[in-house]
Each structure stands twice: as structure tokens, then as C-alpha cells.
Amino acid sequence: MDYSTNDSKSTSKKKVVAVVGGGLVGNLNACYFAKRGFQVEVFESREDILQAKIVKGRSINLVLSHRGRQTLKHVGMEDTIISKGIPMHSRMIHALNGTQSPIPYGKKGQYILSIDRANLNKELLSAAETYPNINLNFANKLLDWSTETGAMTFVRAEGAKEEIQADLIVGCDGAFSAIRKQFLRQSRFNYSQTYTPHGYLEFTMPPINGEFAMKPNNLHIWPRNTFMMIALPNLDKTFNCTLFMPFEEFEKVTTGDKVIEFFQKYFPDAIPLIGALLRGIFFRLPAQAMVSVKCSSYHFGDKCVLMGDAAHAMVPFYGQGMNAGFEDCLVFNEIMDQLKDFSAVLPEYTRVRVPDDLAMYNYVEVTYFILLTNSDVNSKWFLFRKYVDNFLHIIMPRTIIPLYTMVTFTRTRYHKVVKHWHWQDKVINQGLLFCAAVSVAGGSYLLQLWSRLQALKSPF
Amino acid sequence: MDYSTNDSKSTSKKKVVAVVGGGLVGNLNACYFAKRGFQVEVFESREDILQAKIVKGRSINLVLSHRGRQTLKHVGMEDTIISKGIPMHSRMIHALNGTQSPIPYGKKGQYILSIDRANLNKELLSAAETYPNINLNFANKLLDWSTETGAMTFVRAEGAKEEIQADLIVGCDGAFSAIRKQFLRQSRFNYSQTYTPHGYLEFTMPPINGEFAMKPNNLHIWPRNTFMMIALPNLDKTFNCTLFMPFEEFEKVTTGDKVIEFFQKYFPDAIPLIGALLRGIFFRLPAQAMVSVKCSSYHFGDKCVLMGDAAHAMVPFYGQGMNAGFEDCLVFNEIMDQLKDFSAVLPEYTRVRVPDDLAMYNYVEVTYFILLTNSDVNSKWFLFRKYVDNFLHIIMPRTIIPLYTMVTFTRTRYHKVVKHWHWQDKVINQGLLFCAAVSVAGGSYLLQLWSRLQALKSPF
């Protein structure tokens, strides 16, 4: 239902939604609220997001999968965004000796997309601009907001302060959300921010003779126990490489020679591909920190709600950060469809979304350490289980669904994904154990049979 | 070494330490810094802590044990405080049928103390007042402080603002620390605040005929699966009772009759002891929330350090909150003794103290759930293990030390306590398993022997 239209009958005034944060989730949210007929005011602290250089501490590429696509689809943007993305069908694992082994993400035809953050931002802004009931307010930095009245105080670029009142504040202002600060004062508000011991560093792998330096339709991964490198393809035929490594390891690499030495030891196959740029990659910017944020609840009274990284920032390893953030808009919209009473929407959003995000959050945390401590033994078991899972998925497509498939290619609620995964993991492991026991028993029976036959043949 | 004296040679001015928060840890800290010769300014937001009523949301009694006592001893306060406390030698477990079973806290003669918070506060304030180099500033509420200059802005009761500069800020302003807010802006600052699903409610059990209503030298506990009640003795022969229960359970008890019904079901033996006051206990104040706070690091540059609940608020079940907070002062003091360079003291304090507090924090969290889900079966196992542990402690006093003893009656570093406990838990469980296996094997051998003897005797 359209709450604003309903309201407009009595007050002849549209309900105002203030979206704080004009990043990816903010602009997409603006489109969602505008589509429902609200008057939407977007406030962004930066001057103009299109003019702004790539923001320090933000990854250049993003991974788009089913949840994100479904959210874009609802506002008619899926095709535009996909056309500018590069499909990645497999992880391409780079061993130390340079051999590359693909591990498909799903069934044939299933893929995730490497998306350019700057372009996605531009497209979302352009989409927001097409709605007459969206106002984009740049260079408006939130100073504070009142949890009693809902009034927000913004500081303009020139230093002037302005007070703004809205019927609903939607905090989409990222992992370091200014809106969320007031939530900390709420009684029984749970909050955690945890930095990983790992930092990350981004650099470019240029094209070779005008072509991609590696197979483009893959997410390239170099797992190296306590650290790893990944590379995602871009439309301009470069790869964007990211090195994840404990901060103290970064600190050891202090000169260009040490960079070369480090790559010779761990990523020798990447040296000729990165080329002359390699010596300098550690010294343009310091390694960036990665933060995980979780909190509950996501709403404050009937005034304010958090979405995207402001509610649940995740480490990037499972490519779910943006997809979960986008899905927030879709889930909120679905709840507005279901509930007639707007005052019930915010608590319902917290009730539905918190357990899902926590499940995904915890899962990503665990995966993070599994990925990084991916020794050869583990990785053989990982590969073996992948094959077993995929095989079982083919013969029982509704019962056994690989975890990655559920997360990436469905909209199954995250907490159900994790629950189903625990169940099927137990079942499969028990099955494998049973098979192993049967083959050991069978083998020893055959061995016994064989030695009896030998005994029969014996001349003695 | 005395940093202030050293410094005074060159600048002829004492170094100023600002202690923000005039509660227990704040005032004790003030004495510690004053004893080293610093000029100490204590800032407290309340009018006068001695005049202030018992603060809502703060427990009336506290448990003092070895770590806290050692800290008090260093500033000559141990005896005064102990003389006003009531020794508790055992937990006294109240079963549903009213039977009481004591479980000693340690060896004969070992005890913890029930301390009146208001009196302890008063004694600490009086101690602080005896130092000429301590200034107590009441009704000074911290508005903000600058991480660059270290300047603090306080608001006075009459509304005037004042800026104060100190060489070191010591944040002792509790679980909701205003000093800590700036820490959240530090890169790679880990922080979490987690509310338990349980709230707590305090009420008084009056004396009966001028005497304690129950045995006074015990901490009385009524464990009831998802909730529990405890009672600590006071000098005025009352007991201070605290009921810990999930908030939704509190909400069900809406009338005086329902209180009686609830007590009849779960704490029938306490009904005559609480008497006429019982009907009203749920309606004076709402159930209070309990928060756990953990963070790292504990220092910000060379300007500021957190101690007590501001650094590590814990749920109260292990009686370590105040003791750990007091020990912070002692640990910081020990580090100042060891290190000549004052700039190295703050990072060293973080390095030493964070792992200890986290270990204790995690341990208390786990214990919390074990205590509350203490079903009869678990509690028999708990009692059995207690006896085994105590027995082994008697015959091997340096190798096997009950967990509670290490936490409560030693200054063994918390992380070592937890590590040693895991080790001995494994050893004891393996030992018990071995004994069980041996007795089963021995038993079946005897059974076999017996049936053979029977066979020999058989007429057939």
C-alpha cells in the first residue's frame, strides 16, 4: 500500500522520507521510497558523488549476485547494471607453481558479476534523478539528530547549519554511520565493531597487448594460508587486484625490492602480469582496515531505520556486503506491502532482518578464517566436498543445495541458508563416513577372501 | 619511579592527571596517582556522591575478593573496608523444596566479602580527601574532549562550560563512558556492547526478630533454569535480594497476586522471609538491564586510558566487575614501576590488560549461561566435579586449582587462569573417564570370574 497517498488524503501533504547517505544503498532506497509516492530527500556529505574520486578505503569492484539483482529489477535497473558487469563463472585458484584450477560458482550458466563501483553509483544517481519526488542534497553533513523530534541538523559546505524534519529517517550512511551514533544511547541496543587483523591493498593489473592478462570470466584467487590475493576483471580489460594480509606483514615490506621478493615467494605467476607497476604498489596508500559491524535493533522508535553497512558491515570475502544491503531495501518494501499500519513496519523489519543478517555475518566471519587458512590439505578436502555437494545437488536438486548457491543464487533467508547448510553438512559427512566404513569393511572382506583363495592354491 | 617528580625538576610543575568519573574505580585511582606525586583532578557529574541516593541501575551490594583487596591494601585501605564487610564462606543453594546445601568458595578460612556500595564509595572519597594533591570536582559533566590536544570540556551544574587540560586523562566513567565515545573514532578500535536477555530487580529481605532471616555468612542462590535469585547479607542484618530473569518473564508478573503466585511456584521458602513487602517488589522500579562491554585498545595516543567498567563492563555473576576494575589500578601502577619511559606505559597497559580482561569477560559470559541453565542433572555433575576438584587440590595444591579459587583468591592473570583451567579440565575429565573405564573393565572381569566360580560349583 502507498502510505503517503493515504496520508495525503487527510493532510494533503506527502510523507517525507530522509535518506541519509547517498551511496549505493541510499540511492537505491531513494528510488524505492519514491516509487511508493513518498517525498524523498537524500543527504550526502560529499560534494558530488559523480565528481568525487574513488573514495579511500572503498573497494573499486563489487560482486553482484541474485539478491542484489532482484532488488535492482524491482526498480527496472537490473539489465542496465548487468550490461556493464563482467560475468564470473568460476573462482580460478592459483597454486604457488602457477597452475590454475577453476571451481565453478554454481551450475552451468550460473555466474556472479564483477561491477565497477563508480559506474554503479552513477547509474543509481541517474535513476534517482528521474523521479520528480526525489531531491538530492549534496555537501550536507549530518551533525546530529534528535531521537525525540526526529529533527536532523546538517552542516553545509559553506558552514551554515540547517535543521530538517522528516517523517522517517533512513540511515544508509555506511559502516561509520553518523545516524547510528544515537542508537548507542538506546537501552538494550546491542552493538559491535570489530576490525580484522588483516588490512587490504588494491592495485591494477594492466591489459597485455590490449587484452585481459588472465582469463576474464573468473574471480582469480591466490590463497596463501594467512593471506590471499584476489583479482576481479574490469570493462577496460584491467584486473583490480586486492591483497589481504595481516597488518604486521604489510609493515615488513618496506622497499620496492622487498615487494618483488615477496611476490617471488608467494605470487610468482603474477609478477609478469602486473609488470612495471609492481615495485610501487605498497607505497601509494597504506593498507586499509576492514571493519565488521553488527547491531540490533535496526530501528529507533517510529523515527529511524538503518540499512546497508550502517546496520551490518561485513568483511568482503563472501561478496555479500552490497547484496545484503540492497536486499534490505527489498525486504523493507515487502514488509510495507504486507502491513497496513506504518508504525508496525519498523519493528517488523528489525524482527525479520536482524536474525538473517546475524546469520550471514557469523557465516562470513567463519568463512573468512577458513579461506585464509586454506592450506593444501584443507583445500583438497574443500575441493572434494565441493564435487560431492555439486554431484548430490544434481541428483537431489531440492534437498542438497551447495551453500554458495543458496547464498548467491537464491533469496532463501540467510538464517535458513545457514540452518539448512548445517543440516546437510551433517548428513553428507555421515554419508561419507558410512561409505568409508563400508568400503573398509568390504575391502577387508575381499582381502580375507583373497588370502583364503591363496591358501587353497598353496602347495602345503 | 615517580614521573611527576622527575618532570618537576625541569618544569617545576607537577604533571596533572584528570580522573573522569568519581565512582569506585575513579576515587581509588585518584589515590594511586596522588601517592605517586601527580596532581590529581577528579571530575564527577553528580552533585555529591555522598549525598546521592543509591543510583538506579547499580547494585546495592558488591563482592570483594583477593584482587580488589590487594588493590585496596596498596593504599592502606584493606582493613577499613574489610571491617565493614560480611564474610561469605559458601554459596548456599536453595532447592525448590527449601533444602539448603552449602558449596564452599574455597578451602577452610577462604571467603569473599559482601560490601555495601554506598559505604565503600564513602570510604574511598574520604581517603581521596586526605591527599593534598587531589581535587574533587563534583557536578562537572564531561561534554567532549579533544583527541588532538587532550582538552576536556565540562558543563557545570549552573550551565557554565569550562575547558580543562591535563597530561593524562583516566576514563573511569563506567559502562556508558563519555570518555570512550572518542575511542570509537579511532581506526581499528574494537568495541562491543551486548545486553543480556535478562533484567534484574533488587529488593530487601528484612531481619526477623532483629536477626538475619537466613544464615548470614553465605551468598544465597536459588538457581531456577532460565532465571535465578541471589541474596547477600548487609551489616544492618537485612539481605539484599536480586532476581535475574528474562525481561519477557518480568512482563508477565503484572499484579501483587501474580508476584505471590510466582514466588509460590519458584521460591516458596523465601515468601515468609521477605514477608509483607513481597507483593510490591515488582512495581517500585522496572527490571534493570545488564550490559557487557568489551573493547581494545584501552588507551588513545599518549593522552587517555580507560579503566574499570569503561574498559570492560561484565555481567555480575562471577563477582569480578569491581575486583577487575580495582586490579586495573594495581596493574597500571605496576607498569609505571617497571617502565622508565612514561610514553611506553599506556601501550604496555593495553598489551598486558586487554587479553586478561577478554579472557575473564568470555569466561563470565559462559558461566552466566551455565549458572542460569543449571538443571538438576547439571547441578549434580557440577557438585561432583567441585568435590573432585577440591579433593585433587588438597593432594596436588599447585597443579590442580579450582577455577573459582584462581579467579577469586589469587592474582594469577585472568588469561592464565582460563588457560590453566582448560588444561586441568581436560586432564581431570580424561582421568575420570579412565577410572570409569577401569572400573567397568574390572567389574566385568569380576563378573566373569564370579560366573566361572558359579560354573565350577554347578552340579552339571
Side-chain angles (χ1 to χ4, degrees):
Chain A
M1 68 174 293
D2 187 328
Y3 298 98
S4 61
T5 315
N6 241 23
D7 196 49
S8 65
K9 283 176 192 161
S10 53
T11 65
S12 76
K13 195 167 164 282
K14 272 185 189 166
K15 277 208 171 190
V16 178
V17 172
V19 174
V20 178
L24 301 174
V25 175
N27 285 322
L28 188 49
N29 242 327
C31 298
Y32 266 79
F33 283 105
K35 207 179 158 209
R36 293 192 86 92
F38 290 95
Q39 173 60 36
V40 183
E41 299 287 330
V42 180
F43 297 95
E44 165 59 38
S45 60
R46 286 167 286 180
E47 281 288 335
D48 184 345
I49 211 157
L50 294 187
Q51 313 296 324
K53 294 263 163 62
I54 290 299
V55 183
K56 199 182 97 173
R58 289 279 178 85
S59 65
I60 293 161
N61 300 69
L62 294 160
V63 170
L64 180 66
S65 56
H66 186 72
R67 293 170 205 264
R69 286 175 64 164
Q70 288 300 104
T71 313
L72 291 167
K73 192 179 185 176
H74 185 83
V75 285
M77 293 185 67
E78 189 188 13
D79 294 338
T80 321
I81 301 302
I82 289 179
S83 70
K84 297 277 177 63
I86 298 179
M88 300 182 290
H89 298 273
S90 301
R91 310 160 188 84
M92 184 66 84
I93 308 293
H94 291 241
L96 198 56
N97 64 12
T99 56
Q100 301 183 22
S101 339
I103 307 175
Y105 278 118
K107 289 184 289 194
K108 210 174 147 77
Q110 283 183 324
Y111 56 85
I112 58 176
L113 286 142
S114 171
I115 299 281
D116 179 63
R117 179 193 282 270
N119 182 61
L120 178 57
N121 235 334
K122 203 185 83 188
E123 295 285 356
L124 286 167
L125 259 184
S126 309
E129 278 169 347
T130 63
Y131 289 89
N133 50 338
I134 296 183
N135 260 335
L136 299 168
N137 308 277
F138 291 105
N140 270 266
K141 192 177 158 64
L142 183 83
L143 197 67
D144 207 356
W145 67 279
S146 157
T147 55
E148 280 101 52
T149 64
M152 297 164 283
T153 312
F154 288 96
V155 189
R156 298 275 181 79
E158 69 277 16
K161 284 184 191 174
E162 196 182 7
E163 195 159 282
I164 306 276
Q165 190 81 41
D167 297 294
L168 177 67
I169 303 169
V170 186
C172 305
D173 48 349
F176 303 102
S177 171
I179 286 288
R180 197 182 53 217
K181 268 179 202 150
Q182 290 285 18
F183 279 61
L184 280 168
R185 295 172 49 190
Q186 249 183 135
S187 181
R188 298 173 67 193
F189 178 70
N190 293 327
Y191 174 74
S192 86
Q193 63 177 51
T194 313
Y195 285 85
T196 62
H198 292 72
Y200 74 89
L201 197 72
E202 289 188 297
F203 48 91
T204 303
M205 181 183 282
I208 294 181
N209 302 327
E211 276 310 315
F212 280 107
M214 302 181 296
K215 288 183 180 168
N217 293 113
N218 302 283
L219 195 161
H220 292 261
I221 307 182
W222 291 254
R224 296 293 180 267
N225 290 314
T226 58
F227 51 91
M228 71 167 173
M229 186 166 77
I230 64 170
L232 278 84
N234 295 316
L235 275 185
D236 64 1
K237 305 207 169 163
T238 61
F239 275 93
N240 188 52
C241 303
T242 313
L243 175 62
F244 298 99
M245 193 160 73
F247 278 101
E248 59 267 30
E249 296 296 323
F250 275 114
E251 283 157 19
K252 289 179 191 162
V253 185
T254 48
T255 64
D257 284 350
K258 284 195 174 162
V259 178
I260 304 288
E261 201 179 296
F262 174 79
F263 268 73
Q264 273 166 347
K265 192 166 174 193
Y266 296 110
F267 314 110
D269 62 332
I271 298 177
L273 307 178
I274 301 169
L277 298 169
L278 184 59
R279 298 185 74 88
I281 59 167
F282 275 54
F283 314 112
R284 277 184 315 126
L285 267 181
Q288 302 293 310
M290 287 182 286
V291 70
S292 292
V293 170
K294 53 179 170 175
C295 67
S296 73
S297 55
Y298 290 160
H299 72 285
F300 196 137
D302 57 352
K303 294 273 184 309
C304 186
V305 63
L306 301 175
M307 296 197 201
D309 281 1
H312 48 72
M314 297 175 194
V315 292
F317 304 99
Y318 226 77
Q320 279 302 298
M322 177 181 69
N323 292 287
F326 277 10
E327 202 186 28
D328 287 347
C329 311
L330 197 49
V331 169
F332 195 84
N333 197 56
E334 285 163 354
I335 294 171
M336 283 199 282
D337 284 340
Q338 286 155 19
L339 298 180
K340 293 226 160 65
D341 175 14
F342 193 70
S343 69
V345 170
L346 268 52
E348 178 65 5
Y349 173 73
T350 285
R351 195 190 66 77
V352 166
R353 200 59 177 160
V354 169
D356 279 338
D357 285 333
L358 289 187
M360 189 32 38
Y361 173 94
N362 291 332
Y363 180 69
V364 167
E365 291 300 285
V366 172
T367 316
Y368 168 57
F369 289 103
I370 294 175
L371 257 178
L372 283 168
T373 57
N374 206 356
S375 71
D376 279 349
V377 180
N378 286 339
S379 110
K380 268 171 198 157
W381 171 249
F382 176 75
L383 277 173
F384 173 66
R385 269 301 306 271
K386 274 256 164 249
Y387 286 118
V388 171
D389 289 11
N390 288 340
F391 173 73
L392 291 173
H393 181 46
I394 290 165
I395 59 171
M396 295 180 281
R398 274 157 187 269
T399 314
I400 303 295
I401 312 163
L403 175 65
Y404 196 89
T405 299
M406 287 190 280
V407 168
T408 312
F409 301 122
T410 76
R411 275 203 63 212
T412 308
R413 286 182 60 187
Y414 287 128
H415 83 274
K416 289 200 173 157
V417 164
V418 172
K419 206 170 151 192
H420 187 82
W421 169 62
H422 283 302
W423 171 83
Q424 76 187 19
D425 201 52
K426 210 172 110 189
V427 168
I428 294 173
N429 279 336
Q430 282 176 349
L432 289 173
L433 208 67
F434 179 75
C435 293
V438 165
S439 44
V440 167
S444 60
Y445 176 74
L446 287 177
L447 206 71
Q448 239 179 17
L449 207 69
W450 183 77
S451 51
R452 282 190 191 174
L453 285 170
Q454 292 296 313
L456 286 178
K457 281 192 209 161
S458 159
F460 300 103
Chain B
M1 69 175 289
D2 186 328
Y3 299 98
S4 61
T5 315
N6 241 24
D7 196 49
S8 65
K9 282 176 194 161
S10 53
T11 64
S12 77
K13 194 169 165 281
K14 273 186 187 162
K15 276 208 171 188
V16 178
V17 173
V19 174
V20 178
L24 302 173
V25 175
N27 285 323
L28 188 50
N29 242 328
C31 298
Y32 266 79
F33 283 104
K35 207 179 157 208
R36 293 193 86 94
F38 291 96
Q39 173 61 38
V40 183
E41 299 288 330
V42 180
F43 296 96
E44 165 59 39
S45 61
R46 285 167 285 179
E47 281 289 336
D48 184 346
I49 212 156
L50 294 187
Q51 313 296 327
K53 294 264 163 59
I54 290 300
V55 183
K56 199 184 98 174
R58 290 275 178 87
S59 64
I60 293 161
N61 299 69
L62 294 159
V63 170
L64 179 67
S65 56
H66 185 73
R67 294 171 203 264
R69 286 176 64 163
Q70 288 300 104
T71 313
L72 290 167
K73 193 178 185 175
H74 186 83
V75 285
M77 295 187 64
E78 190 189 13
D79 295 337
T80 322
I81 301 301
I82 288 179
S83 70
K84 298 277 178 64
I86 298 180
M88 301 183 290
H89 298 273
S90 301
R91 311 159 187 86
M92 184 66 83
I93 307 292
H94 291 241
L96 198 55
N97 65 11
T99 56
Q100 300 182 22
S101 339
I103 306 175
Y105 279 118
K107 287 185 289 194
K108 211 173 148 69
Q110 283 184 322
Y111 56 84
I112 57 176
L113 286 142
S114 173
I115 299 281
D116 179 64
R117 179 193 284 270
N119 181 62
L120 179 56
N121 236 334
K122 203 185 82 189
E123 295 285 356
L124 285 167
L125 259 185
S126 309
E129 279 169 349
T130 62
Y131 290 90
N133 50 337
I134 295 183
N135 261 334
L136 298 169
N137 307 278
F138 292 105
N140 270 266
K141 192 177 157 64
L142 183 83
L143 198 69
D144 208 357
W145 67 279
S146 156
T147 54
E148 280 100 52
T149 64
M152 296 164 284
T153 313
F154 289 96
V155 189
R156 297 275 181 79
E158 70 276 15
K161 284 184 191 174
E162 196 181 8
E163 195 159 284
I164 306 277
Q165 190 83 38
D167 296 296
L168 177 67
I169 303 169
V170 186
C172 305
D173 50 348
F176 304 102
S177 171
I179 286 288
R180 196 182 55 217
K181 269 181 200 147
Q182 289 284 17
F183 279 60
L184 280 168
R185 294 171 49 191
Q186 250 184 135
S187 182
R188 297 174 66 192
F189 178 69
N190 291 328
Y191 174 74
S192 86
Q193 63 177 51
T194 313
Y195 284 85
T196 63
H198 291 71
Y200 74 90
L201 196 72
E202 288 188 299
F203 49 92
T204 303
M205 182 183 283
I208 294 181
N209 302 327
E211 277 308 316
F212 280 108
M214 303 181 295
K215 289 184 179 171
N217 292 115
N218 302 281
L219 194 161
H220 292 263
I221 306 183
W222 292 253
R224 296 293 182 267
N225 290 315
T226 58
F227 52 92
M228 71 167 172
M229 186 165 78
I230 64 170
L232 279 83
N234 295 316
L235 276 185
D236 64 1
K237 306 207 170 163
T238 61
F239 274 93
N240 187 52
C241 304
T242 313
L243 175 61
F244 298 98
M245 192 161 71
F247 278 101
E248 59 268 29
E249 296 296 323
F250 275 114
E251 282 158 19
K252 288 180 192 162
V253 186
T254 48
T255 64
D257 284 349
K258 284 194 175 164
V259 178
I260 305 290
E261 202 179 298
F262 173 79
F263 268 73
Q264 273 167 346
K265 192 165 174 191
Y266 297 110
F267 313 110
D269 63 332
I271 297 177
L273 307 177
I274 301 169
L277 298 168
L278 184 60
R279 297 185 75 88
I281 57 167
F282 275 54
F283 314 113
R284 278 184 313 126
L285 267 180
Q288 302 293 309
M290 288 181 285
V291 70
S292 291
V293 170
K294 53 180 170 176
C295 68
S296 75
S297 55
Y298 289 161
H299 73 285
F300 196 137
D302 58 352
K303 294 271 184 311
C304 186
V305 64
L306 301 176
M307 296 196 201
D309 281 1
H312 48 73
M314 297 175 194
V315 293
F317 304 99
Y318 227 74
Q320 279 301 299
M322 177 182 67
N323 292 287
F326 278 9
E327 201 185 29
D328 287 347
C329 311
L330 197 49
V331 168
F332 195 85
N333 197 56
E334 286 163 353
I335 294 171
M336 284 198 283
D337 284 340
Q338 287 156 19
L339 298 180
K340 292 224 162 63
D341 175 13
F342 192 70
S343 70
V345 171
L346 267 53
E348 178 65 4
Y349 174 72
T350 284
R351 194 191 67 76
V352 167
R353 200 58 179 160
V354 170
D356 279 338
D357 285 333
L358 289 187
M360 190 29 43
Y361 173 94
N362 291 332
Y363 179 67
V364 167
E365 291 300 285
V366 172
T367 317
Y368 168 57
F369 288 104
I370 293 174
L371 257 179
L372 283 168
T373 57
N374 206 357
S375 70
D376 277 351
V377 180
N378 285 340
S379 111
K380 268 170 200 157
W381 172 249
F382 176 77
L383 277 173
F384 172 66
R385 269 301 305 272
K386 276 255 162 245
Y387 286 118
V388 171
D389 290 11
N390 287 341
F391 172 74
L392 292 172
H393 181 47
I394 290 165
I395 58 171
M396 295 180 281
R398 275 158 187 269
T399 314
I400 303 294
I401 312 163
L403 175 64
Y404 196 90
T405 299
M406 288 190 280
V407 168
T408 312
F409 301 122
T410 76
R411 275 201 64 212
T412 309
R413 286 183 59 187
Y414 286 128
H415 84 274
K416 287 197 175 159
V417 165
V418 172
K419 205 172 154 191
H420 186 82
W421 169 63
H422 283 302
W423 171 82
Q424 77 186 18
D425 201 52
K426 209 172 111 189
V427 168
I428 294 173
N429 279 335
Q430 282 176 352
L432 288 173
L433 207 68
F434 178 74
C435 293
V438 166
S439 45
V440 166
S444 60
Y445 176 74
L446 287 175
L447 206 71
Q448 238 179 19
L449 207 68
W450 183 79
S451 51
R452 280 188 194 174
L453 284 170
Q454 291 296 313
L456 286 177
K457 279 193 210 161
S458 159
F460 301 103

